[in-house]
Amino acid sequence: MSKVDTSGTWTAITINPPNLEGMNSDNVKWGIPAGGGKSGYLFAGGSVEVLLDGTEFTLGTFTHQNFPIQGMPQNQFEIDLAARVLFEDQVPHNFSFRFQHNETPNVGPSPEDIVDLPTRVSPETVTIDNTEYAVVITGFKQGGQIVNRFISPENGSNSADLVAVLARTGQPDVHITTVSFKGQVKRTQADEYVEVVNRGTAPADVSGWVLGADDAGQNFTFPPGTVLLPGQRVRIYTNEIHPQWGGYTYGSGRPIWNDRGDAAKLRDKDGSLVSEHAYGSAATP
């Protein structure tokens, strides 16, 4: 495939907030302003390259216009987006997604609003070369990193790219995306991590799968009952626990990943190689 054009409209909201406007447009707003303006969501599409090999692309830019508001009937609610993708054959397809909004109090230790994607796979599909595909949102690209949830500071417009893949329906696709080596924690480099994502449209049971570099002492085994949902990202840290990334750690008091470069390998419970990611001096230029 090559270039596609994307756009989007906000089609539904699960509450009836005061001053609701902009439904069925690319910018929906709500609430009684308590300062700078209403709160709202904006979706901006564009022309992007889309491949069929699991390569991530930008579906569009999501902006939360986050200003203090009053009069909300409840703080947690959901908003639906219809993302329109115009393929090369000029046939448009709509892919729908649901955003979960948490309008947190504007004061306190964590005043930022939070936006989640409870379901990341579009129920709609498209058939390309006799194969059925769906769009999977794999995260928000915010501050140069792709994250699972969008953290939106108060009193401003905060944006992130919606990162997605075009994936075959009914199949998981587990892939190593990043090896963050040369940690900043002195001596132990406890903050090193490897990031793994399920780019597929079906859950992936990774119980017993092993992450390592084929060197002694570098194996991490996913515990029983570990399932990666479609679009879900997790990180396996050298010696830190981050619940927002799954809470996985080697528990190692020394660095795991070579400071010069190597390759991280993910194998299933039968030992078959699922994904390999070269980094540093071992990476392909």
Side-chain angles (χ1 to χ4, degrees):
M1 292 196 68
S2 56
K3 294 284 186 180
V4 302
D5 294 315
T6 68
S7 60
T9 57
W10 302 99
T11 59
I13 187 169
T14 58
I15 63 171
N16 185 25
N19 290 346
L20 179 65
E21 65 172 304
M23 294 304 302
N24 298 308
S25 77
D26 61 0
N27 190 188
V28 60
K29 297 181 180 181
W30 60 82
I32 300 171
K38 295 182 179 182
S39 193
Y41 284 179
L42 174 68
F43 180 86
S47 181
V48 296
E49 188 83 15
V50 175
L51 302 176
L52 302 179
D53 61 356
T55 300
E56 292 175 314
F57 65 93
T58 298
L59 181 65
T61 299
F62 168 78
T63 299
H64 178 211
Q65 297 155 324
N66 188 9
F67 299 100
I69 56 173
Q70 301 173 348
M72 297 298 289
Q74 62 189 65
N75 291 331
Q76 294 186 4
F77 51 93
E78 295 176 331
I79 306 177
D80 292 343
L81 173 71
R84 185 174 184 265
V85 180
L86 186 66
F87 290 94
E88 288 178 308
D89 58 6
Q90 299 302 301
V91 176
H93 292 266
N94 283 330
F95 300 93
S96 58
F97 303 94
R98 173 157 285 191
F99 289 67
Q100 188 174 70
H101 185 86
N102 185 2
E103 189 82 35
T104 58
N106 297 328
V107 295
S110 300
E112 300 89 354
D113 288 0
I114 300 171
V115 183
D116 280 314
L117 285 159
T119 303
R120 297 168 178 260
V121 183
S122 65
E124 303 84 4
T125 63
V126 59
T127 300
I128 302 171
D129 295 333
N130 298 316
T131 301
E132 190 176 45
Y133 294 86
V135 176
V136 182
I137 294 180
T138 57
F140 300 91
K141 190 172 185 180
Q142 187 179 27
Q145 284 198 23
I146 302 175
V147 295
N148 287 319
R149 53 169 36 182
F150 184 83
I151 307 298
S152 180
E154 290 286 341
N155 288 302
S157 293
N158 308 301
S159 298
D161 289 337
L162 287 173
V163 179
V165 295
L166 199 60
R168 295 187 180 193
T169 58
Q171 297 181 19
D173 181 14
V174 181
H175 181 73
I176 299 172
T177 65
T178 305
V179 179
S180 180
F181 60 110
K182 290 185 180 180
Q184 299 302 305
V185 177
K186 290 184 179 179
R187 293 186 299 276
T188 65
Q189 298 185 31
D191 55 329
E192 296 175 322
Y193 65 83
V194 175
E195 185 177 274
V196 176
V197 63
N198 179 7
R199 306 181 302 185
T201 59
D205 186 345
V206 297
S207 305
W209 290 25
V210 177
L211 172 69
D214 292 340
D215 294 323
Q218 282 187 291
N219 285 343
F220 169 85
T221 302
F222 283 97
T226 303
V227 176
L228 301 186
L229 298 177
Q232 183 180 2
R233 290 176 186 271
V234 297
R235 290 178 179 177
I236 301 88
Y237 281 82
T238 291
N239 200 19
E240 293 184 349
I241 297 176
H242 295 264
Q244 71 272 31
W245 293 107
Y248 302 109
T249 179
Y250 275 87
S252 173
R254 62 178 181 84
I256 293 290
W257 303 102
N258 192 306
D259 284 353
R260 292 185 299 276
D262 202 347
K265 299 177 181 180
L266 181 64
R267 300 182 185 275
D268 64 20
K269 60 184 179 181
D270 297 323
S272 299
L273 183 65
V274 175
S275 178
E276 180 174 355
H277 184 91
Y279 64 93
S281 60
T284 302

